[in-house]
Amino acid sequence: MLAPYIGINDFMYLGQVEAILKFFKSLLPIGSNRLLHIGTMMSYKTLNEIDCVWLEAFAPKERLAEIYSLKET
C-alpha cells in the first residue's frame, strides 16, 4: 500500500533537505505514516549546459547526487 506524502520542491543543497526533514518529523503526530517527498528543479538548458539567465535558480546537475544522498535513520 502506498503511504500518503507531502511534496516540496526546489532543494539545492543537502543541508536544506536535512533541515526540512528534521522540521517535518517534529510536526508529525505519533503513528503517522506520512512521508516527505523532496524534489529539485532542473531545466533543459541546465541539464545540457546551455547558458541561461535563470541558471542560479536551478541546482547544478553535478550536485543532484549529493542532494539525494541523505540516509534516513
Side-chain angles (χ1 to χ4, degrees), residues 16-71:
Q16 293 172 324
V17 175
E18 292 170 332
I20 197 67
L21 183 58
K22 182 178 179 181
F23 181 69
F24 178 79
K25 287 182 174 184
S26 75
L27 298 175
L28 282 179
I30 294 173
S32 174
N33 67 339
R34 191 162 301 271
L35 301 173
L36 177 64
H37 166 91
I38 64 163
T40 303
M41 287 195 338
M42 176 64 60
S43 75
Y44 172 86
K45 289 184 175 184
T46 304
L47 185 60
N48 291 285
E49 300 176 359
I50 300 169
D51 285 336
C52 170
V53 296
W54 303 109
L55 202 55
E56 293 182 19
F58 303 105
K61 65 181 180 182
E62 295 80 15
R63 192 179 297 141
L64 293 179
E66 172 192 323
I67 294 169
Y68 291 98
S69 68
L70 181 63
K71 303 289 189 239

